[in-house]
Amino acid sequence: MPSRIVREPLRFAYWVPNVSGGLVVSTVEQRTGWDLDYNVRLARKAEEVGFEYALSQVRYLSSYGAAQQHESTSTSLALLLATEKLKVIAAVHPGLWEPAVLAKFINTADQFSGGRAAVNVVSGWFKDEYTRLGLPWLEHDERYRRSAEFIEVLRALWTQENVQFHGDFYRVNDFTLRPGPVPVPGRPHPEIFQGGNSTAARRNGGAHADWYFSNGKDFDGFTEQYDDVTRVALEHGRTVRFGLNGFAIVRDTQAEAEDQLREIVANADTASVKAFRDSVQQAGASTADKKGMWADSTLEDLVQYNDGFRTRLIGDPEQVARRIIEYKKRGVNLLLLGFLHLLEEVEAFGTRVLPIVRDLEADLERDIARRGEREVLTGS
């Protein structure tokens, strides 16, 4: 297994609040809007303070307290047009999208934004979103098999002409997209993200995706996923980058940050959290090895619905920055962050935490260089 330490600067993303209710299922105050004006201000501030990515959520029905939802791809396009550097990832569901139609939409967004569009392929956990639209609901591993084909069709349409594809779920007959994606050095096509916890998700991440998103995990939990996905990628002659979800609570002191976490959990919207748990843990438990998404999440974990508290980015700026570096040492390339009050806390994170992260990264590189020199001198 290659070294886990990431030798390039960490990248940071934030969750786009394109659904109502904020990013925690709690009645605690959340100074976070979900309208276009708020999202444009947030996107511009995020790129100003050092965030490189944003992820637009996908929901078609109310769940986990998100009573209202804006669609992800149109939200992403709006934010791309309102910014200059930010890359925006649209979460999408196979089964609700045809891959060629999505490829065309993302191509257009990519052209209009100068090469900044990306997708997160979500295999789906919310059965009602399919069945209420009269669409088939596949069993867990079949959803991931469909996603694998979906990703391969996207990649083929973005990189080839006269595409032929004949799978179990999708057919493409001599199809060419024009125009193609914007040529970006080091990027053969719009980036493809995919996440999950299950064995099927890890297999897809290693074999097909450019990026693998992990739900919130502690050090051991992330390392276990990293090793598994990297092994699959090596078996397929590929490399994969890793994103990790986390909910950041950065305050002047650790005590203040911990108090904030306790307040969020104490004011949890218990009915909504339990309803969400019932939906998602059925999906996780349906996998043969019980490793599916949220299968082992507690009620407290699900107050932040992507297990963001588990990453433990909770403390003062120095503490949070040092924990982030420890994740970098374990192979994290990108942190996808949620915040209680998104606009003001994204700005605070960029101005108070990111500079410390960059200093610690420089220290880490110097330490690696010194170790390398010692190994050369000693012949080890």
Side-chain angles (χ1 to χ4, degrees):
M1 191 71 67
S3 170
R4 295 187 179 92
I5 297 177
V6 175
R7 298 298 300 276
E8 59 186 20
L10 274 167
R11 303 171 185 201
F12 291 87
Y14 72 91
W15 284 94
V16 173
N18 56 303
V19 304
S20 65
L23 297 182
V24 294
V25 190
S26 174
T27 58
V28 70
E29 181 187 17
Q30 297 185 70
R31 294 188 292 276
T32 291
W34 63 285
D35 59 278
L36 177 60
D37 288 346
Y38 182 91
N39 270 293
V40 167
R41 285 190 292 132
L42 174 59
R44 289 172 174 167
K45 179 56 66 176
E47 71 173 0
E48 176 188 321
V49 300
F51 283 75
E52 292 186 47
Y53 291 84
L55 173 61
S56 295
Q57 304 175 64
V58 58
R59 277 277 63 78
Y60 290 89
L61 288 174
S62 299
S63 62
Y64 56 70
Q68 311 291 334
Q69 317 91 32
H70 290 310
E71 193 273 331
S72 60
T73 60
S74 48
T75 299
S76 295
L77 178 57
L79 298 183
L80 287 167
L81 297 179
T83 54
E84 298 179 356
K85 298 178 293 184
L86 193 70
K87 302 177 184 74
V88 186
I89 311 160
V92 295
H93 280 124
L96 298 179
W97 279 95
E98 281 295 317
V101 176
L102 178 70
K104 187 69 174 178
F105 183 97
I106 296 299
N107 268 5
T108 300
D110 205 56
Q111 288 283 333
F112 289 0
S113 65
R116 294 185 285 121
V119 294
N120 180 37
V121 177
V122 181
S123 295
W125 55 265
F126 195 9
K127 184 177 180 178
D128 285 355
E129 287 186 324
Y130 288 81
T131 58
R132 292 187 186 181
L133 291 172
L135 298 170
W137 176 247
L138 305 179
E139 289 305 311
H140 181 275
D141 285 9
E142 286 295 282
R143 297 199 297 275
Y144 278 92
R145 279 212 313 123
R146 177 174 61 188
S147 291
E149 286 192 11
F150 192 92
I151 290 171
E152 289 308 306
V153 173
L154 287 180
R155 180 174 285 112
L157 291 169
W158 284 334
T159 59
Q160 303 171 26
E161 297 187 347
N162 307 112
V163 172
Q164 301 278 354
F165 186 93
H166 299 98
D168 293 334
F169 301 95
Y170 300 108
R171 308 282 193 278
V172 181
N173 300 306
D174 190 23
F175 199 85
T176 301
L177 283 180
R178 300 189 189 281
V182 175
V184 175
R187 189 202 75 160
H189 52 73
E191 293 166 290
I192 301 171
F193 293 73
Q194 186 248 301
N197 284 347
S198 68
T199 299
R202 299 176 195 201
R203 184 169 59 244
N204 271 16
H208 301 286
D210 303 317
W211 289 84
Y212 179 84
F213 264 140
S214 173
N215 250 23
K217 291 288 181 183
D218 61 15
F219 293 145
D220 290 343
F222 173 78
T223 297
E224 190 257 341
Q225 286 196 343
Y226 176 94
D227 288 347
D228 212 11
V229 174
T230 300
R231 174 186 54 77
V232 173
L234 289 172
E235 289 171 356
H236 288 79
R238 309 181 68 247
T239 58
V240 178
R241 290 178 170 176
F242 290 83
L244 173 66
N245 179 63
F247 192 86
I249 304 178
V250 185
R251 300 294 185 265
D252 290 337
T253 67
Q254 182 176 9
E256 290 177 276
E258 295 286 357
D259 284 346
Q260 181 68 85
L261 174 60
R262 280 190 288 271
E263 183 185 9
I264 293 169
V265 173
N267 289 280
D269 180 349
T270 306
S272 294
V273 175
K274 286 182 176 177
F276 178 63
R277 180 184 61 181
D278 291 344
S279 295
V280 299
Q281 291 193 327
Q282 179 278 327
S286 70
T287 59
D289 54 11
K290 310 301 182 186
K291 288 185 178 179
M293 190 84 89
W294 301 290
D296 62 348
S297 300
T298 68
L299 195 67
E300 180 175 322
D301 292 331
L302 293 174
V303 175
Q304 203 294 304
Y305 40 80
N306 279 291
D307 287 345
F309 298 149
R310 285 188 169 190
T311 311
R312 294 298 299 174
L313 301 180
I314 299 166
D316 63 40
E318 178 86 16
Q319 290 171 311
V320 171
R322 289 191 177 279
R323 188 164 179 86
I324 286 170
I325 292 297
E326 290 304 313
Y327 276 113
K328 173 174 176 152
K329 292 178 182 178
R330 288 161 171 81
V332 172
N333 301 89
L334 177 149
L335 274 166
L336 171 61
L337 299 178
F339 301 91
L340 190 63
H341 311 302
L342 261 162
L343 182 58
E344 59 203 73
E345 293 193 38
V346 159
E347 181 176 15
F349 187 91
T351 56
R352 301 185 67 195
V353 179
L354 268 180
I356 302 174
V357 169
R358 299 308 181 207
D359 287 344
L360 293 172
E361 286 182 313
D363 291 343
L364 181 61
E365 283 299 309
R366 285 190 289 269
D367 184 55
I368 292 170
R370 284 193 297 268
R371 289 205 309 268
E373 290 171 3
R374 286 198 298 271
E375 288 172 4
V376 170
L377 290 171
T378 61
S380 59

